[in-house]
Amino acid sequence: MIYLEQYYPGEEDWILFSDLYRNIPDSAIANKLESIFKDRSVAIVIAGILGNSSLEWINKKIPALDNLRPVDCVDDPKLQKRLRTMLMRMDL
């Protein structure tokens, strides 16, 4: 079976991508997401793409994540890559 994390372009590309969202002002949403994901870059990207619906979205089953919730990806490095790959594709 092919999983989305197999298409993860690497840390350098993730850093370049997440830097696009660095100018988003700190917000309560981004801060809450950072406490959940323990990763500021993921938090600001989710907040930047989904805005006010971010906290609701992270608890929904997402087909692109093989019906996992984004919060299910927190503690597994492979699933973190799956989430990051999906986020990079959402922004297209």
Side-chain angles (χ1 to χ4, degrees), residues 3-40:
Y3 294 103
L4 195 56
E5 63 269 18
Q6 292 172 308
Y7 299 100
Y8 184 62
E11 290 299 307
E12 186 176 323
D13 285 345
W14 171 254
I15 291 167
L16 290 171
F17 175 76
S18 64
D19 279 347
L20 297 173
Y21 294 91
R22 294 274 179 224
N23 291 330
I24 293 173
D26 284 343
S27 68
I29 293 170
N31 293 336
K32 177 72 174 170
L33 290 169
E34 183 176 9
S35 71
I36 294 166
F37 286 94
K38 303 171 187 92
D39 183 333
R40 184 70 180 168

Side-chain angles (χ1 to χ4, degrees), residues 68-79:
L68 293 172
R69 301 169 308 152
V71 296
D72 297 331
C73 301
V74 170
D75 294 321
D76 184 328
K78 180 174 66 172
L79 294 178

Side-chain angles (χ1 to χ4, degrees), residues 41-82:
S41 65
V42 169
I44 62 170
V45 169
I46 292 173
I49 292 172
L50 294 155
N52 291 334
S53 63
S54 298
L55 295 173
E56 180 182 328
W57 178 82
I58 64 168
N59 288 297
K60 290 184 176 183
K61 291 183 178 182
I62 307 296
L65 296 174
D66 297 314
N67 289 315
L68 293 172
R69 301 169 308 152
V71 296
D72 297 331
C73 301
V74 170
D75 294 321
D76 184 328
K78 180 174 66 172
L79 294 178
Q80 291 171 5
K81 288 180 182 177
R82 187 180 300 180

